[in-house]
Amino acid sequence: MAAHAELNGTTAVPHTGLNLPRLPEPADENDVLREQLEYLIGHAAERISGCSDCQRCLRVRSALLEIFSEPKPQLVRQSAATLPMAA
């Protein structure tokens, strides 16, 4: 007697659950940020050409160095109760 595979020209696959491809683990955000910073630093080290990557580098640099800039003076509003009265 012929095997089932020989009867219809197919081969049987044993049932072992879903056979889906494995997805890779997501990249670590810190590694991605570090890689992007290294790229921008390397790009800007060659020359500042004004391209979109140069503009992005300048924005990132400004944001990262913002903590070191002097704070802007805030406007102090005096309420009517604290203003000196005219004599």
Side-chain angles (χ1 to χ4, degrees):
M1 182 173 233
H4 291 275
E6 295 173 356
L7 291 176
N8 61 14
T10 62
T11 57
V13 177
H15 181 65
T16 59
L18 294 176
N19 191 14
L20 298 175
R22 301 192 99 217
L23 295 176
E25 293 292 322
D28 181 40
E29 289 179 5
N30 292 327
D31 291 340
V32 172
L33 289 173
R34 223 176 257 111
E35 181 180 315
Q36 288 295 304
L37 285 172
E38 288 172 1
Y39 166 77
L40 289 174
I41 290 168
H43 179 79
E46 294 172 11
R47 64 185 167 103
I48 300 290
S49 65
C51 69
S52 62
D53 283 343
C54 290
Q55 295 300 317
R56 188 165 56 115
C57 181
L58 294 174
R59 287 192 311 267
V60 169
R61 184 180 187 277
S62 175
L64 291 174
L65 294 177
E66 183 178 348
I67 193 170
F68 299 109
S69 64
E70 292 185 25
K72 297 177 182 176
Q74 296 181 356
L75 297 176
V76 179
R77 294 184 181 179
Q78 294 179 335
S79 66
T82 60
L83 290 176
M85 299 287 287

